[in-house]
Amino acid sequence: MTADRPHDHGIGTDDSAPPGAETTTVAARPADGSGGPGGGILGRAHRALTLGIISVVSLVAFEASAVNTAMPVAARALDGIGLYAFGFSAFFTASLFAMALAGEWSDRRGPLGPLFTGIAAFGAGLLVAGAAGSMGMFIAGRGVQGVGGGLVVVSLYVVVGRAYPERLRPSIMASFSAAWVVPVIVGPLVAGTVTEHLGWRWVFLAIPALILLPLAVMLPALRALPRDRTGPPGGVRQVLGSRRCLLALAVAVGACLVQYAGQHPSWSALLPAAAGLALLAPTLVRLLPRGTFRAARGLPTVVLLRGLSAGALVAAESFIPLMLVTQRGLSATLAGLSLTGGGLTWALGSYVQSRPRLEPYRERLMGLGLVLLAVAIALVPLALVDGVPAAVVAAAWTVGGFGMGLNISSGGVLLLKLSRPEEAGSNSASLQMADALGNVTFVGVGGVLFVAFGGGSIATHASAAAGAAGQPAAFVAVFATMAVVALLGAGAACRLK
């Protein structure tokens, strides 16, 4: 879930990994946590739970990379190119609400309920999407997946807080990052091969079977978790009626209405557009720190830049495989592999920004990261020019990944530096909420632009040659807009101090 980051429960994060991966802001320790008494995260007391958690995170990471690869083929097969962006935004929108729901549910009732509900919903959503006979049903399945993903990721963080002593949390959180490396490399290759030889549906239908193993490994350890409840008591009605859940629900509904209106440009769409904006405007202001949308100096700008960078990246990344498949005739496998380098250089950028001698330049690193992201996104549409090799996309994305590693990781460090200890948890939650909101907003904007510039008319079953004569302007509009968003963020970086 690239972009799916959990509501924080007092565990600070420095966001030094690719989207969906989380790490703590505490200095790194050995992976086995052997630096302290009583065994590490792979010691007898924690081994089963650790392996189960790593398996679940790896599964989510594999699904995220696999879906990017299979989505263009699925959208064409279901005659749904015009609704392509909804396949992504449905996931992000649903996960935004689920994050808030999981936070309240875990505080009141413990993490096991939302964790198992989330795993079940995630698997059910995959099955619905894989069996979909129309793009509408496919989008509904992706929404169910999003609910499951949001519940799972937040619940896992609560499990970590309850099951591991403080000295081991840096190690288990570092394992979250490590769990993303192999899926980012292998996911596109496996998904592309399955899509080409067995069909895109099997990318979705096969993953639920993989859920059973981590569940079986974790179950005994999860049952042994302490059942104390530190939050306010309450049942389902109190959880769903909490302020944060209601605000998140309003944002999700508002985003859906605005995206629907954008995809159906007509006078009749004005009503849902107005209703969506009426829901979004007041709720977004309440969910994020005061001054975020006017780039107030310090913390609000950190949060704003997180939303701009994550949203621009995910929106551009969502359309890259579709462009390469429909405009350049690449296979789903090669199109997905074009994104792999970005995941690897993301980790490199995160490592570079962590060097002590660069600490005085933290604000500049955030701005530089956004400039590199803007350059990378601007280079992508060069692949639409005859004579330019499609490999330019892979090269550009390695630049963008490095920029994101500099930006996102530095933002996490700055957030905690600018937060009082008693505010670190709530401010971290705002940062993650901005991530999700950025994904929802800019993927939706990308979808609107794509349809407005004729992308919906790309032939669904066209040959590679016919696809190359499709609607390049639709892709240029998306990438140019996201490059501008990244540049605006780079300009706003001067407000970090």
Side-chain angles (χ1 to χ4, degrees):
M1 296 176 288
T2 300
D4 331 337
R5 296 181 185 272
H7 172 77
D8 189 81
H9 284 262
I11 303 175
T13 60
D14 72 0
D15 305 293
S16 57
E22 297 286 350
T23 57
T24 64
T25 54
V26 185
R29 301 184 185 184
D32 63 355
S34 57
I41 62 173
L42 293 178
R44 181 178 301 177
H46 300 100
R47 184 184 301 131
L49 185 58
T50 297
L51 293 177
I53 288 174
I54 292 174
S55 298
V56 170
V57 174
S58 297
L59 184 64
V60 172
F62 176 79
E63 185 273 341
S65 59
V67 165
N68 266 349
T69 302
M71 271 291 288
V73 178
R76 289 198 298 177
L78 295 172
D79 195 19
I81 291 291
L83 298 174
Y84 180 78
F86 274 107
F88 293 96
S89 61
F91 183 98
F92 297 134
T93 303
S95 66
L96 175 62
F97 167 69
M99 289 175 187
L101 173 61
E104 291 293 329
W105 193 348
S106 296
D107 285 344
R108 295 173 185 267
R109 309 289 294 179
L112 299 191
L115 176 61
F116 285 107
T117 301
I119 291 174
F122 189 74
L126 285 165
L127 294 176
V128 172
S134 66
M135 194 63 178
M137 182 176 291
F138 180 85
I139 291 171
R142 291 286 290 157
V144 175
Q145 269 187 268
V147 171
L151 291 174
V152 166
V153 178
V154 173
S155 303
L156 284 180
Y157 277 76
V158 181
V159 168
V160 168
R162 294 192 177 199
Y164 294 85
E166 187 173 356
R167 67 179 180 84
L168 293 182
R169 290 175 191 168
S171 297
I172 185 61
M173 301 300 270
S175 73
F176 277 47
S177 302
W180 273 77
V181 174
V182 173
V184 164
I185 298 172
V186 175
L189 180 62
V190 172
T193 301
V194 170
T195 298
E196 292 170 18
H197 293 89
L198 298 178
W200 66 268
R201 295 183 184 276
W202 287 103
V203 174
F204 294 86
L205 295 176
I207 294 177
L210 303 177
I211 296 175
L212 300 177
L213 178 60
L215 276 182
V217 172
M218 284 196 302
L219 189 56
L222 289 173
R223 286 177 172 171
L225 286 178
R227 299 185 179 275
D228 58 301
R229 299 172 187 169
T230 57
V236 175
R237 182 177 298 178
Q238 286 76 17
V239 170
L240 292 175
S242 66
R243 179 179 181 272
R244 181 166 286 271
C245 278
L246 292 176
L247 288 174
L249 179 61
V251 168
V253 173
C256 287
L257 290 172
V258 171
Q259 290 173 58
Y260 172 83
Q263 297 275 353
H264 299 80
S266 65
W267 288 108
S268 61
L270 290 178
L271 181 59
L277 291 173
L279 284 172
L280 281 173
T283 51
L284 287 177
V285 171
R286 288 172 173 80
L287 278 173
L288 300 179
R290 180 178 299 177
T292 296
F293 294 102
R294 54 182 175 85
R297 289 192 178 275
L299 179 65
T301 297
V302 174
V303 174
L304 175 65
L305 294 191
R306 174 58 170 268
L308 293 177
S309 58
L313 173 87
V314 171
E317 193 173 68
S318 299
F319 284 90
I320 286 176
L322 182 65
M323 180 189 72
L324 294 177
V325 169
T326 62
Q327 306 298 294
R328 294 301 300 260
L330 266 63
S331 67
T333 303
L334 290 177
L337 286 173
S338 67
L339 304 175
T340 301
L344 300 179
T345 54
W346 186 310
L348 177 61
S350 176
Y351 171 79
V352 169
Q353 66 80 37
S354 69
R355 299 301 85 200
R357 61 175 170 231
L358 294 179
E359 180 60 35
Y361 309 104
R362 178 99 22 222
E363 293 83 2
R364 295 182 185 179
L365 289 176
M366 286 196 73
L368 174 61
L370 279 161
V371 170
L372 292 176
L373 176 63
V375 170
I377 296 175
L379 289 174
V380 167
L382 289 178
L384 295 166
V385 178
D386 291 338
V388 177
V392 69
V393 175
W397 223 236
T398 61
V399 174
F402 185 79
M404 287 297 286
L406 294 177
N407 176 267
I408 296 295
S409 302
S410 295
V413 174
L414 278 178
L415 177 99
L416 291 179
K417 179 181 178 181
L418 296 171
S419 301
R420 294 195 296 268
E422 65 272 16
E423 296 176 342
S426 60
N427 288 341
S428 295
S430 294
L431 195 73
Q432 294 162 7
M433 193 71 72
D435 191 320
L437 289 171
N439 292 343
V440 171
T441 301
F442 291 112
V443 169
V445 169
V448 171
L449 291 170
F450 186 71
V451 172
F453 281 84
S457 64
I458 292 177
T460 56
H461 299 287
S463 65
Q471 296 290 341
F475 293 102
V476 172
V478 173
F479 296 127
T481 301
M482 297 311 144
V484 170
V485 169
L487 281 178
L488 289 175
C494 66
R495 306 278 296 172
L496 289 168
K497 282 188 176 180

